[in-house]
Amino acid sequence: MADLVLGDDHTVFVDALVTVLPQRGLNVLDTADSITGTVRSVRRNKPDVCVLERFFTDGDSLDRMDEIVAAGGPRMRVLLLTADSDAAAMRRAMRAGAIGYVTKMCGVTALVEAVGKAAMGEPVTRLPRFPDGRASTVSARTARAPAPLRMSLTPREHDCLRLLVAGARTTTMANRLGVSSTTVRTHVQALLSKLGVHSRLEAATFAVRYSLLDPPEGDPSW
């Protein structure tokens, strides 16, 4: 039975995992709803695996991966569990020290299998697949959205879409963009209308599938 610390600020999601994972043979030692709290928890509990979200209100966990890994000690492995299904983010996480990368759309069974492999020191990745069977990776992006659609998005809508693809929540987006949560919701609603989708997840999937976002200048992770 692997010992886990869950670092995620989605309370309902965490509560569900705390209930389900022990039924699958995993022992949840503690949970944390911030990066700082996760650092404290892994330092105190020394788990086999830290299952970690990427975005928190106190920052991007990839930017503090060294701190998290050091706090957990040499035996602990970090497994990213996030809504961000972009392959560039996955590569960055693995370079930063994560043993694995799993998206929240892959399901509990895939997560349990990934935790087991991570606990044994085996690298593992699980990205969702499109209905046609293609994985949502950078190399699979062969189609592009029509130019008029791409050009119809305002710079701020592009910013919001990029953060949606990264799995950011409204509060995190507001902090990153320096605007209010209400303003973020307004931009996101306009974005959904222009893309003809009904949810943030659909918008993020659309953006990945049709390469709606250009790689940011100077970003080596793309």
Side-chain angles (χ1 to χ4, degrees), residues 4-221:
L4 311 181
V5 163
L6 302 180
D8 197 309
D9 60 357
H10 295 73
T11 304
V12 174
F13 181 75
V14 171
D15 287 348
L17 288 184
V18 169
T19 300
V20 171
L21 293 183
Q23 299 172 9
R24 302 294 187 96
L26 300 175
N27 183 31
V28 181
L29 298 174
D30 194 19
T31 66
D33 61 4
S34 67
I35 299 174
T36 300
T38 300
V39 171
R40 286 197 299 263
S41 181
V42 298
R43 180 179 291 121
R44 181 176 64 252
N45 291 286
K46 302 299 182 185
D48 299 311
V49 180
C50 174
V51 178
L52 184 68
E53 170 60 272
R54 178 177 178 185
F55 286 107
F56 293 82
T57 54
D58 60 342
D60 185 338
S61 62
L62 297 188
D63 294 335
R64 297 176 62 181
M65 187 66 71
D66 288 346
E67 184 180 357
I68 295 168
V69 171
R75 188 174 63 88
M76 186 192 76
R77 310 295 184 181
V78 177
L79 176 68
L80 265 290
L81 176 64
T82 178
D84 182 0
S85 61
D86 189 82
M90 178 188 71
R91 290 194 296 270
R92 183 184 169 199
M94 303 295 271
R95 286 198 301 266
I99 191 71
Y101 192 97
V102 179
T103 70
K104 291 180 176 178
M105 289 182 284
C106 288
V108 173
T109 298
L111 172 60
V112 171
E113 291 175 354
V115 169
K117 290 184 177 181
M120 293 186 291
E122 297 181 20
V124 57
T125 59
R126 292 287 188 274
L127 294 182
R129 304 187 73 84
F130 294 127
D132 60 9
R134 293 185 299 118
S136 60
T137 63
V138 172
S139 61
R141 296 180 189 176
T142 56
R144 294 188 69 83
L149 176 56
R150 292 163 57 85
M151 295 175 63
S152 72
L153 301 181
T154 67
R156 187 58 85 192
E157 288 166 357
H158 273 284
D159 292 339
C160 288
L161 184 57
R162 191 178 299 281
L163 288 169
L164 287 180
V165 169
R169 301 172 69 191
T170 298
T171 302
T172 302
M173 294 170 69
N175 291 338
R176 288 295 186 91
L177 300 176
V179 299
S180 69
S181 295
T182 299
T183 300
V184 167
R185 293 188 185 96
T186 298
H187 287 310
V188 169
Q189 189 55 52
L191 177 62
L192 298 184
S193 296
K194 289 182 179 180
L195 298 183
V197 297
H198 303 289
S199 71
R200 296 182 177 207
L201 179 57
E202 286 183 87
T205 301
F206 186 96
V208 171
R209 185 170 191 178
Y210 293 105
S211 299
L212 199 58
L213 296 171
D214 292 322
E217 293 184 13
D219 187 343
S221 67

